[in-house]
Amino acid sequence: MARFSVRTSGFPEIRRDGEPCPLPLRKGLALLVYLAEAKGAVARDVAATMFWPDSADDVARTRLRRLLHRVQLALGDGVLATDRTSLRWSESVAVEVDAQQFEAACDRGDFTLACRLYAGDFLDGFTPGACPQFDEWAFFRREALRGRAVQALERVVQDSSAAGDYATAVAHARRLVALDSLSEVYGRALIRSLMLAGDRTGAERQLEALTQQLRDELGVAPEPETRALLNASTRIAEPPATRYVGGGGVHLAYQTYGAGPVDILLLPGFVSHVERVWEEPRSRALLSALAAMGRLILFDRRGIGLSDRVGFSPSVDATSSDIETVLDAAGSRRIVLLGASEGGPACITFAAHHPERVAGLILFASLAKGSATPDYPHALQARQYDMWLRQLVTDWGGPAGIEAFAPSLAGDPQARAWWAGLLRAASSPGAIKGLLEAFRDTDVRHLLGRVAVPTLVLHRRDDRAVLVGAGRHLASHIRQARFVELDGADHWMFAGAQQPVLASIADFIAGLPARAG
């Protein structure tokens, strides 16, 4: 059996039994990569349209036949299986794809191997030319793989530092910095690793380079915590340790912080990263204040942040199941659920199905349905939602959507840089597009009447991301709900005035009839 390897890191290459296959045709290379990634048959019409989008159907099909003939001549007869309607790599040959080997290593949790396998971005610098559909597919695939590479590198840096292997931590932190040179988080990880490895000169050079890049590109200076890393006598406050628990075929990243008579699980909106959330001073202050009320539990839902990336968009029910998995791992018997924005529906679902485990439910800037219908006018129309989503995906990598999510911080360069970095680390454009498309179709209104636990609904009056009417709707349909309308326009809980939010939460928790963790 002939063995083929398909290299997708950088410029693509096809090898047969270890020897390069001369294939100067860019569209031929692109077609072979696309077929290898498809792991099955691809319709002829789909391939013809992808590579000759401006040609008439019969012309495109003729050009595809000619291309397939030239590819067969280059690779050998029987390598591709074709018929009148479809084409694929033949089952009589073995095909290995480096991108798929990398993903398999990530899935197994072998992050050291995954980092070795990730030799560069998917099809970096390659295009078949005048094939926008292929280029779009390659872009989303590239971003998804890059996100998993970032996650793998973060894990190796974390594990190596914990094991005292600072040389390995330095090497992988350098790769993180190369992937995102504007990330102060990654720059800080490298500086810290260099200091622990005894290379103060290298740490000073890295701080100097980071300082100049932040100044030139973003007009900001490094945070005091970053500069303090060079002071060996200064102990830098670290975020809580990140732990993992397996459930439903995935590994979920979670943290616990603080102690007290009640456990508080915070489920944020559509994107999260349990470590990066501590890097923003206002966010850190809010989390610390919540931890002063009890033991705070944070986790990244499947597919987001430091939890395993998955090839599908997790449903509300899947996220509700993940809540139970994390609570069991944290040893929590009863919980106060705090669902913010898109985190609300999963918390509602869990509270409706597991009232015995929920002492109280808090919903902040949340809603029961992802898009508007005649009987639910409190969200964007599906068409408006899709337009917003396209813009969000287009702006991904920068501080996408911050003007709507946190108008009070939209002009703050440090906040903008943090948000952009969190987005890049937490997900990819393709993955977040699928997740938000799934949320657009979410509807938990039928569960509101089944919520039988004390509930607090908080919503800022001029919230631009989720209208205040959505909060009023929640409160009016949950039996034991109290609605508190707050001043301000910020959708993020930590942006704007925190004190009214924290005071309402503290009063609510203090008034719960049972507060066991």
Side-chain angles (χ1 to χ4, degrees):
M1 176 185 289
R3 301 188 67 85
F4 285 86
S5 62
V6 180
R7 188 188 70 194
T8 63
S9 296
F11 199 93
E13 180 185 65
I14 311 295
R15 287 178 173 264
R16 176 170 180 156
D17 297 327
E19 296 297 322
C21 295
L23 194 68
L25 305 168
R26 280 182 174 254
K27 287 185 178 177
L29 276 171
L31 176 62
L32 290 171
V33 170
Y34 188 77
L35 293 177
E37 283 281 290
K39 302 179 185 177
V42 173
R44 277 180 174 266
D45 289 345
V46 169
T49 301
M50 176 174 287
F51 292 106
W52 293 278
D54 298 325
S55 299
D57 291 347
D58 57 339
V59 174
R61 286 193 292 268
T62 298
R63 289 175 172 172
L64 177 61
R65 284 197 301 273
R66 292 173 180 169
L67 178 65
L68 288 171
H69 176 69
R70 297 179 69 180
V71 169
Q72 294 272 28
L73 288 177
L75 299 187
D77 291 336
V79 170
L80 296 182
T82 65
D83 56 33
R84 294 176 59 86
T85 61
S86 66
L87 52 146
R88 59 177 294 165
W89 280 85
S90 173
E91 294 179 355
S92 65
V93 300
V95 182
E96 295 179 345
V97 186
D98 58 351
Q100 295 170 9
Q101 292 173 324
F102 161 74
E103 287 186 305
C106 289
D107 292 341
R108 294 193 305 271
D110 191 347
F111 297 109
T112 299
L113 175 61
C115 291
R116 288 204 300 269
L117 290 171
Y118 192 85
D121 286 341
F122 184 79
L123 302 186
D124 189 26
F126 171 79
T127 176
C131 302
Q133 187 177 339
F134 178 88
D135 291 338
E136 182 181 27
W137 167 79
F139 168 78
F140 284 116
R141 182 70 172 134
R142 182 181 306 124
E143 290 299 310
L145 291 168
R146 175 183 263 250
R148 296 205 73 175
V150 166
Q151 183 190 40
L153 287 164
E154 287 177 329
R155 290 289 298 276
V156 173
V157 170
Q158 180 186 77
D159 295 345
S160 300
S161 295
D165 184 0
Y166 302 124
T168 297
V170 166
H172 288 79
R174 287 193 189 281
R175 292 186 64 184
L176 279 173
V177 169
L179 284 172
D180 191 351
S181 60
L182 291 177
S183 168
E184 190 167 352
V185 177
Y186 298 155
R188 189 180 299 169
L190 178 53
I191 294 168
R192 182 185 290 112
S193 297
L194 286 164
M195 288 293 288
L196 291 170
D199 185 0
R200 181 180 179 84
T201 300
E204 290 173 344
R205 284 199 298 266
Q206 175 58 33
L207 178 59
E208 182 180 351
L210 176 63
T211 300
Q212 182 163 351
Q213 186 133 24
L214 290 175
R215 181 176 61 243
D216 293 346
E217 298 292 333
L218 302 176
V220 300
E223 293 183 1
E225 291 89 344
T226 303
R227 297 191 296 271
L229 286 170
L230 295 183
N231 185 349
S233 63
T234 301
R235 185 179 183 276
I236 303 302
E238 297 284 351
T242 301
R243 290 176 282 179
Y244 286 84
V245 58
V250 298
H251 294 88
L252 303 170
Y254 76 99
Q255 297 176 347
T256 62
Y257 183 60
V262 65
D263 287 347
I264 306 167
L265 184 141
L266 171 60
L267 185 63
F270 70 92
V271 68
S272 67
H273 191 291
V274 291
E275 294 184 355
R276 288 241 172 169
V277 74
W278 293 95
E279 298 290 338
E280 210 288 324
R282 302 166 193 84
S283 176
R284 185 167 60 245
L286 178 85
L287 296 176
S288 298
L290 290 173
M293 302 178 195
R295 185 175 65 142
L296 180 63
I297 301 174
L298 304 174
F299 83 98
D300 290 331
R301 72 188 74 190
R302 61 181 69 194
I304 296 294
L306 290 176
S307 291
D308 284 349
R309 304 298 166 95
V310 292
F312 59 90
S313 299
S315 65
V316 168
D317 289 335
T319 304
S320 174
S321 177
D322 290 345
I323 291 174
E324 185 173 22
T325 298
V326 170
L327 292 182
D328 290 344
S332 180
R333 297 185 301 278
R334 299 194 74 217
I335 192 80
V336 172
L337 287 176
L338 173 48
S341 192
E342 292 89 355
C347 290
I348 291 168
T349 302
F350 188 85
H353 293 319
H354 304 281
E356 75 285 354
R357 299 197 68 172
V358 181
L361 173 64
I362 303 171
L363 300 170
F364 182 88
S366 192
L367 66 173
K369 192 174 184 298
S371 58
T373 48
D375 59 345
Y376 187 84
H378 311 299
L380 293 175
Q381 297 288 338
R383 179 180 56 83
Q384 297 171 313
Y385 188 102
D386 290 342
M387 290 176 58
W388 167 77
L389 178 53
R390 282 196 297 273
Q391 188 62 50
L392 184 74
V393 170
T394 299
D395 295 341
W396 201 264
I402 193 171
E403 289 79 11
F405 297 137
S408 71
L409 300 180
D412 185 327
Q414 205 84 42
R416 294 176 68 87
W418 168 80
W419 176 237
L422 184 143
L423 291 178
R424 292 191 298 270
S427 189
S428 64
I432 211 67
K433 180 174 181 287
L435 186 147
L436 287 173
E437 284 176 342
F439 184 77
R440 176 196 59 205
D441 302 324
T442 293
D443 187 351
V444 297
R445 288 178 296 170
H446 62 290
L447 295 177
L448 299 182
R450 293 176 55 185
V451 175
V453 301
T455 301
L456 173 66
V457 180
L458 300 170
H459 215 111
R460 290 194 174 111
R461 184 174 297 111
D462 298 314
D463 190 329
R464 301 179 187 179
V466 176
L467 300 178
V468 69
R472 294 172 184 153
H473 174 271
L474 288 172
S476 66
H477 287 76
I478 297 175
R479 288 196 301 272
Q480 299 186 56
R482 180 166 66 91
F483 181 62
V484 177
E485 189 170 306
L486 303 165
D487 291 332
D490 290 295
H491 181 63
W492 292 343
M493 195 185 313
F494 65 83
Q498 289 188 18
Q499 193 52 41
V501 176
L502 293 169
S504 295
I505 292 174
D507 288 345
F508 175 74
I509 291 175
L512 291 175
R515 296 187 288 156

